[in-house]
Amino acid sequence: MLLEALTLQLGYNATLVAIGAMLLGIAAGVTGTFLFLRKRALVSDAISHATLPGVGLAFIVMVWFGMDGRSLIGLLIGSALSAWVGLLCVQWLSNRTRLSEDSAIGAVLSVFFGAGVVLLTVIQGMSAGRQAGLDSLLLGSTAGMLLSDAILIAVGGALVLALTLLLRRPMSLVAFDSDYAAASGLSVARIDLATMGLVLAVTVVGLKIVGLILIVALLIIPPVTARFWTERTERVWLIAGALGGLSGYVGAAISASAPALPTGPIIVLVAFALFVLSLLFSPARGVLSSVLTHLQYRRRVHRRQGLLALAQGQPIYEGYTLRLLQREGLARADGVATEEGQARAAKALLDEKRWEILRGLQAHEATAARYDGLTNLETILTKDQLRDLDTRIAAPREVTP
Amino acid sequence: MSGAEFVPLSLTPLLIGIFAAIACALPGNFLVLRRQALIGDAISHVVLPGIVVAFLLTGAVTAWPMMLGAAGAALVSVVLIEAIRRLGQIETGAAMGVVFTAMFAGGVLLLERSDTSSVHLDVEHALMGNLESLIWLEATGWHSLLDGDALAGLPPELSRLAVVLLLVVLFTWIFWRPLKISTFDEGFAQVLGMRTGLLGIALVMIAAIAAVAAFDAVGSIIVIAMFICPPAAARLMTDSLGRQVAWSVVFATLSATLGYVFAGYGPLWLGGSDSVSAAGMIATVSGVILALTALFGPRRRGMMA
């Protein structure tokens, strides 16, 4: 069943939803990247909650003029307008009063959402509103999606994606160094507003599929996940778009494969699963790789210290060091060095001696700063330099008793 | 309006609304000043999976397991946010966004998968609460307040919120000085030997307790609004923390009262017949208060020179 859903064989409606969700995921991942890099991820939360009163007002106005209040495009226009007002309120509160941005975000999201709920209850009281089904926009609902809805979502998503790609250079510049961007003649405020406008567009487009409470997840989770895989901006948004698209597509397919699997939450959970996998297993910044790096570092420190002790004929009391040397065949169980152990120990001692000489030399000051008791000097200096160092080590000579 | 109508139908919802508003606004003052305002938002989202899990384990809609479940979920989310922030080196806002949306999605999924259609447990209820239905049917008038039999029929939410409000007030009162110092100058507080990290966690836990208790009665919208709007409005009125807390209590009470009255009677005044959501109206009124203080408050631009 799931395989059929993934290969788009579950029928017309499921296919529409899967493609729509994928496009939405790509657009949200790419747009969300710039929001995340600007460290304003939660502004999207205010924007998405601020859509609700617009939805309610649009419904009331459309019924007033004798139209069908459920027309998706009308509801989306209404939600975009009220989200825009909400965004301006956040900007105004954080720029013109002493309140910080997070307070402004929280105030706008709760108040607009509250006003939206009031409007929803007003609509439930209207004769035309009994079956409005507007609360499906809270959590998204893809059951019975029309072709016209899907086209609207696909076109909207593609348009947002195109605009984001067009604006990606100035937006990443502002995200990384707004002072530099301002100095090079960009209007930071205008670009910020453009970023927010794109986020707003994604939110509005996503209302039908994932709903206004969870659309935030698609804007935040893929960029955060992508950040684990690369250090370069142009790759972050590419990866974030791919992850977002994957989450949307797989999520929609899973939700179509069985009853009582709501599309929005499943898409979010797929995105979250990808996040957890990346957090644990990404090669550069993942938890697993940093644990491994730490263990490897510990092994190197203990091996080096153990070898130095062997070379100087000192007993090893530290349990881990002893076990390590035995496992690697450098020492016997009683702590006496094997043949290979003796060779490696002599080598380690020589290296340590070379470092000691080097640190006393003015000419090698820069190299000496790299001493950490682990690095092999042969990996840093040329053969000639080493030979020069070795001449300074006192040659063995006969000792008169 | 006569007592015979007011006491059974409006007194308890009004009191519950006011208690919930004040219990959230008090810790909200410190959260707003510490730029942690969105913790309330995060907590109110993650409460849903906690309540659903508690329901699935006990199989009934009972108050205490659900409150425990909600508090547990709040604790899990705080730990997760911190873990993701440290392990992944991600800024707090984004870590918060990842955790609370995923947990909320999990809650919705559990709710849809399990058979909760027979009981009153759904997402709309979690968001909007049911303040209007917390009526006191046993009361017949003002004299019922002295009548033991009638008092036994009080909605249990009222006494729970009263206890929580008392707890919050005590916490604020006992830790007033450490809270004040560590909020404004964490370094100085540490020099004085205060455990600022512990205090910060205690503050978040108190906020979570207030949120969970209020959530049970009035839904999550009021919780987020009351954590932020009254303290933010109060901050635009004064530079003194003591006066700010006092203003926030006034604003919270005002929001709850006016919001409840407008929701119940506003549509009647305008010629409508049905009342509208009290939770939504209380949040709206608190927003109007914030807007007014942002436009006319004496300290809206920061410290006066």
Side-chain angles (χ1 to χ4, degrees):
Chain A
M1 195 67 176
L2 180 58
L3 196 70
E4 286 173 11
L6 283 174
T7 49
L8 297 179
Q9 285 164 1
L10 268 191
Y12 175 69
N13 199 22
T15 307
L16 271 187
V17 172
I19 293 177
M22 184 175 75
L23 278 170
L24 173 70
I26 296 174
V30 173
T31 314
T33 301
F34 298 99
L35 197 66
F36 166 60
L37 293 177
R38 190 87 175 97
K39 299 203 187 334
R40 296 177 73 185
L42 285 178
V43 175
S44 59
D45 205 17
I47 291 177
S48 65
H49 283 75
T51 53
L52 192 57
V55 169
L57 279 179
F59 183 88
I60 293 174
V61 168
M62 284 193 287
V63 170
W64 199 280
F65 284 106
M67 297 187 289
D68 180 12
R70 281 167 298 175
S71 149
L72 186 61
I73 187 142
L75 296 178
L76 294 192
I77 292 173
S79 65
L81 288 178
S82 78
W84 188 249
V85 173
L87 180 61
L88 293 181
C89 287
V90 171
Q91 303 268 26
W92 186 79
L93 277 176
S94 51
N95 291 339
R96 293 297 163 86
T97 71
R98 71 205 295 195
L99 296 175
S100 55
E101 188 170 44
D102 66 325
S103 300
I105 290 171
V108 166
L109 88 83
S110 57
V111 172
F112 273 69
F113 199 72
V117 167
V118 169
L119 286 174
L120 284 189
T121 47
V122 168
I123 288 170
Q124 273 161 14
M126 288 164 52
S127 51
R130 300 275 176 212
Q131 298 298 322
L134 288 187
D135 36 2
S136 76
L137 293 176
L138 288 178
L139 292 167
S141 159
T142 49
M145 203 159 89
L146 302 172
L147 179 62
S148 60
D149 295 352
I151 291 176
L152 192 62
I153 290 167
V155 171
L159 213 61
V160 175
L161 191 61
L163 277 174
T164 312
L165 294 184
L166 214 66
L167 285 173
R168 68 181 191 277
R169 291 202 180 281
M171 286 198 302
S172 40
L173 196 58
V174 168
F176 275 106
D177 194 341
S178 55
D179 290 341
Y180 175 72
S184 54
L186 288 171
S187 164
V188 173
R190 209 173 288 169
I191 290 169
D192 269 343
L193 217 55
T195 313
M196 295 303 156
L198 289 170
V199 168
L200 191 150
V202 169
T203 310
V204 168
V205 170
L207 279 185
K208 180 76 184 167
I209 294 186
V210 285
L212 64 92
I213 300 180
L214 288 174
I215 182 70
V216 183
L218 276 187
L219 285 162
I220 298 180
I221 300 180
V224 172
T225 311
R227 189 69 187 79
F228 282 108
W229 295 95
T230 176
E231 302 285 333
R232 304 175 58 109
T233 335
E234 60 266 41
R235 291 197 196 131
V236 174
W237 64 256
L238 266 178
I239 299 174
L243 289 168
L246 187 69
S247 315
Y249 182 74
V250 174
I254 293 177
S255 104
S257 68
L261 288 174
T263 318
I266 295 280
I267 292 177
V268 174
L269 289 174
V270 171
F272 184 67
L274 291 174
F275 165 78
V276 172
L277 287 178
S278 307
L279 174 71
L280 294 180
F281 301 117
S282 98
R285 299 169 37 128
V287 172
L288 186 70
S289 91
S290 61
V291 168
L292 286 180
T293 315
H294 174 76
L295 287 181
Q296 196 183 13
Y297 180 74
R298 192 169 77 131
R299 212 156 46 229
R300 283 177 63 198
V301 171
H302 282 265
R303 187 190 299 123
R304 176 78 166 201
Q305 292 305 318
L307 286 174
L308 287 178
L310 286 182
Q312 288 158 341
Q314 292 162 347
I316 299 170
Y317 298 113
E318 217 282 314
Y320 175 74
T321 313
L322 203 57
R323 279 199 306 281
L324 183 74
L325 291 180
Q326 277 169 35
R327 205 169 54 218
E328 297 185 346
L330 301 174
R332 297 202 313 253
D334 56 0
V336 176
T338 61
E339 215 164 282
E340 196 201 338
Q342 280 170 353
R344 292 273 302 270
K347 176 77 186 24
L349 191 63
L350 174 67
D351 196 48
E352 197 67 13
K353 188 73 195 168
R354 282 171 172 169
W355 271 109
E356 194 188 315
I357 303 279
L358 178 118
R359 281 152 71 205
L361 295 176
Q362 202 89 82
H364 289 287
E365 207 172 359
T367 319
R370 293 176 62 181
Y371 176 74
D372 56 3
L374 288 174
T375 314
N376 203 335
L377 198 53
E378 285 162 5
T379 60
I380 300 177
L381 297 186
T382 64
K383 276 186 180 152
D384 291 344
Q385 286 175 311
L386 280 177
R387 208 173 302 130
D388 178 50
L389 269 188
D390 286 345
T391 58
R392 296 168 189 264
I393 300 177
R397 57 191 157 88
E398 199 176 333
V399 182
T400 46
Chain B
M1 196 192 322
S2 65
E5 196 184 322
F6 176 76
V7 174
L9 293 181
S10 289
L11 180 66
T12 43
L14 196 55
L15 277 180
I16 289 173
I18 293 174
F19 285 178
I22 298 177
C24 291
L26 278 178
N29 277 296
F30 298 99
L31 293 178
V32 163
L33 287 171
R34 287 162 169 249
R35 307 194 167 211
Q36 292 179 324
L38 289 172
I39 292 232
D41 179 31
I43 290 175
S44 57
H45 280 87
V46 304
V47 159
L48 181 70
I51 287 184
V52 179
V53 168
F55 169 77
L56 293 179
L57 289 179
T58 59
V61 183
T62 42
W64 285 110
M66 289 203 164
M67 294 206 25
L68 281 179
L75 194 64
V76 167
S77 74
V78 171
V79 170
L80 269 183
I81 290 171
E82 198 57 24
I84 288 179
R85 197 172 71 79
R86 297 221 175 135
L87 291 177
Q89 292 154 25
I90 295 167
E91 46 121 3
T92 320
M96 227 144 89
V98 170
V99 170
F100 81 72
T101 52
M103 286 182 74
F104 188 78
V108 173
L109 183 62
L110 277 179
L111 204 54
E112 296 279 331
R113 294 295 286 169
S114 53
D115 182 28
T116 52
S117 50
S118 56
V119 296
H120 194 59
L121 185 66
D122 55 47
V123 176
E124 276 88 61
H125 171 222
L127 290 171
M128 303 169 198
N130 56 343
L131 191 55
E132 296 90 339
S133 68
L134 299 174
I135 48 181
W136 185 19
L137 282 177
E138 284 76 3
T140 49
W142 286 109
H143 55 86
S144 300
L145 286 174
L146 303 172
D147 179 359
D149 292 339
L151 283 176
L154 274 175
E157 283 86 355
L158 183 62
S159 49
R160 267 205 300 277
L161 265 174
V163 171
V164 168
L165 177 60
L166 192 69
L167 185 73
V168 172
V169 170
L170 277 179
F171 175 81
T172 316
W173 185 55
I174 293 172
F175 293 101
W176 177 260
R177 212 178 96 84
L179 274 176
K180 183 174 174 175
I181 297 175
S182 72
T183 297
F184 286 108
D185 192 342
E186 185 148 5
F188 179 59
Q190 279 164 353
V191 169
L192 290 182
M194 288 173 189
R195 312 265 309 264
T196 51
L198 214 58
L199 196 65
I201 293 172
L203 179 65
V204 171
M205 285 324 292
I206 282 286
I209 291 172
V212 169
F215 177 88
D216 173 46
V218 297
S220 62
I221 304 169
I222 294 194
V223 174
I224 312 173
M226 287 305 127
F227 265 126
I228 299 176
C229 292
R235 182 154 158 67
L236 303 176
M237 295 297 291
T238 170
D239 285 331
S240 136
L241 181 62
R243 268 179 242 140
Q244 180 191 320
V245 170
W247 272 115
S248 76
V249 170
V250 172
F251 287 149
T253 314
L254 208 60
S255 308
T257 316
L258 289 179
Y260 183 76
V261 171
F262 287 162
Y265 302 100
L268 297 181
W269 297 335
L270 293 177
S273 52
D274 299 301
S275 60
V276 297
S277 157
M281 195 50 111
I282 290 175
T284 310
V285 170
S286 76
V288 171
I289 293 176
L290 176 61
L292 288 177
T293 55
L295 287 172
F296 307 112
R299 289 288 181 271
R300 60 186 186 278
R301 296 272 163 77
M303 297 285 256
M304 292 290 163

